[in-house]
Amino acid sequence: MKILVVGSGGREHALAWKIAQSPRIQTVFVAPGNGGTALDQRLENINITDPAALADFVESEHVALTVVGPETPLAAGIVNIFRARGLKIFGPTREAAQLESSKDFAKSFMQRHHIPTAEYQTFSDVAAAHRYIDQKGAPIVIKADGLAAGKGVVVAMTLEEAHGAVDMMLSDNRLGDAGARVVIEEFLAGEEASFIVMVDGKNILPLATSQDHKRLKDDDLGPNTGGMGAYSPAPIVTPALHARVMREIITPTVQGMAKDGIPFSGFLYAGLMIDDKGNPKTLEFNCRMGDPETQPIMARLKTDLLVVMEHAVNGTLDTIELEWDRRTALGVVMAAAGYPDAPRKDDLISGIPPENADTVTFHAGTTLNGERLTTSGGRVLCVVGLGDSVKMAQKQAYGVVDLIHFSGSQFRRDIGWRALKKHG
Ligand code: AMP
Ligand code: GLY
């Protein structure tokens, strides 16, 4: 059987790697893929990104189903295009992807369906936005309505920062159309967790929980990034909290989308803020898997992902259960010099060891030219270690990180610190 994975990051490498382990797989195509998917004999990169051209490829190669990694093609309607041609694809339609592609859509959806989230208002008028900030005070959070590649959220600790963020988005148009409207919302304190499920339009299959690390530097200092590391499971999500998130957030979201006439299928990722009393609120929805959360989650998945994907596109996710490696998986992102503002390219990468039972290295911003593997993006690699405790998983991951070299590499030494603080 042939499968197509759309995207080029660490998330897509991990999805393709896992699907390729299925005994029924002939080829997993990755479009466009990266240096790591080029190196793996079971994967084949194809240099196509246009959705209609991908649909042509899928038809001519008889690809059985397509899995979409990133939000951009989903928001552009790749699922609509494939479905109109009768091709099986796992992901939300353009309309359903608005849960991620429009913060205003997501917030009004949550309000309408009584899903716990921060109080908010949406503005396109600059003066009204400034007045609202003065009325509410700081800290306060300013979010561009549209997709802004991780640059659209400003958590303002002072009024000055908040007004500056509004000017940047609404007056200076620095984020283009994405920032033509802004959501201004209440600041929520607490600990974040990533809660990701698979949805087939109706049925919900939760994946293992995880926690990301957004800041560039140790101790959660430095600028926000796409994510510098993640581990699974996240002990903050206790069984009781898991049940509550399903009941108060995930189920009403899936049912609400169906009720509103835009049924959701695909990965649904709720970014949660859990306050010190253990109450969860939704910070945001993503209509895809997280990156780097996917890498440790896939490292723990024991069930054949091809079988899961078949159930997902056939609407039978209620008939399967997932089996997980009981160990903790912990992924450390190695980023390029200059990331996140101006990542440097073309640094030679060396020392990546072959995967074994306890470690695997997923590629993101890498390119293979003949034998030369070089950096080609912000987040370069995600090294995943598995262990019986967070500490053991950390030891496995950093053991490999220390073998890998590229000039100017940046990584955190403390991935997993919140879990360690809880369990020693
Ligand atoms: P997002 O791109 O929406 O995930 O937001 C990026 C990050 O900003 C989140 O992971 C949080 O750390 C932070 N954030 C977003 N919304 C809030 C909020 N209402 N209160 C506090 N922090 C927030
Ligand atoms: N790691 C956060 C995200 O994928 O949005």
Side-chain angles (χ1 to χ4, degrees), residues 103 141 143 153 155 185-188 192 214 283-284:
K103 301 266 187 208
V141 182
K143 299 185 173 183
V153 176
V155 180
E185 72 178 29
E186 167 198 7
F187 171 83
L188 299 175
E192 289 180 56
K214 298 249 187 209
L283 284 180
E284 60 156 352

Side-chain angles (χ1 to χ4, degrees), residues 137-303:
I140 193 161
V141 182
I142 324 293
K143 299 185 173 183
D145 174 54
L147 294 177
K151 296 195 166 58
V153 176
V154 175
V155 180
M157 299 316 285
T158 63
L159 281 176
E160 200 183 342
E161 269 179 276
H163 288 301
V166 163
D167 285 336
M168 182 267 283
M169 293 180 201
L170 286 182
S171 309
D172 305 345
N173 262 332
R174 291 255 287 283
L175 301 176
D177 282 351
R181 281 196 301 177
V182 297
V183 163
I184 303 184
E185 72 178 29
E186 167 198 7
F187 171 83
L188 299 175
E191 181 171 337
E192 289 180 56
S194 305
F195 200 104
I196 308 174
V197 302
M198 292 176 73
V199 185
D200 64 12
K202 189 170 88 205
N203 304 297
I204 305 169
L205 184 66
L207 300 181
T209 58
S210 57
Q211 191 173 58
D212 189 11
H213 299 63
K214 298 249 187 209
R215 300 298 194 100
L216 181 69
K217 294 186 185 293
D218 284 15
D219 302 322
D220 289 339
L221 298 173
N224 256 318
T225 69
M228 292 300 290
Y231 62 95
S232 169
I236 179 143
V237 185
T238 59
L241 180 60
H242 194 281
R244 194 167 157 198
V245 171
M246 288 298 289
R247 191 172 65 241
E248 293 180 8
I249 295 173
I250 303 292
T251 304
T253 299
V254 173
Q255 289 178 350
M257 290 294 281
K259 212 183 289 169
D260 290 353
I262 27 179
F264 189 95
S265 50
F267 293 106
L268 177 65
Y269 167 150
L272 304 177
M273 184 69 89
I274 299 148
D275 72 14
D276 55 4
K277 295 189 183 66
N279 298 309
K281 280 191 178 161
T282 314
L283 284 180
E284 60 156 352
F285 286 119
N286 295 316
C287 62
R288 51 167 176 84
M289 287 228 39
D291 190 339
E293 291 93 327
T294 306
Q295 291 85 317
I297 289 175
M298 286 301 127
R300 290 185 61 217
L301 182 64
K302 285 185 154 178
T303 314

Side-chain angles (χ1 to χ4, degrees), residues 248-377:
E248 293 180 8
I249 295 173
I250 303 292
T251 304
T253 299
V254 173
Q255 289 178 350
M257 290 294 281
K259 212 183 289 169
D260 290 353
I262 27 179
F264 189 95
S265 50
F267 293 106
L268 177 65
Y269 167 150
L272 304 177
M273 184 69 89
I274 299 148
D275 72 14
D276 55 4
K277 295 189 183 66
N279 298 309
K281 280 191 178 161
T282 314
L283 284 180
E284 60 156 352
F285 286 119
N286 295 316
C287 62
R288 51 167 176 84
M289 287 228 39
D291 190 339
E293 291 93 327
T294 306
Q295 291 85 317
I297 289 175
M298 286 301 127
R300 290 185 61 217
L301 182 64
K302 285 185 154 178
T303 314
D304 183 333
L305 185 57
L306 175 59
V307 173
V308 182
M309 285 297 167
E310 287 175 320
H311 283 288
V313 293
N314 292 327
T316 52
L317 281 178
D318 55 329
T319 62
I320 51 164
E321 261 178 62
L322 299 180
E323 203 190 332
W324 299 98
D325 192 319
R326 296 180 66 84
R327 292 177 297 169
T328 292
L330 185 140
V332 178
V333 169
M334 299 181 75
Y339 179 73
D341 291 334
R344 190 169 77 202
K345 292 185 181 170
D346 300 324
D347 285 307
L348 191 66
I349 307 166
S350 63
I352 302 176
E355 72 176 80
N356 60 34
D358 303 313
T359 62
V360 52
T361 301
F362 295 112
H363 292 229
T366 71
T367 301
L368 188 66
N369 276 316
E371 306 257 289
R372 267 172 70 88
L373 184 72
T374 54
T375 63
S376 56

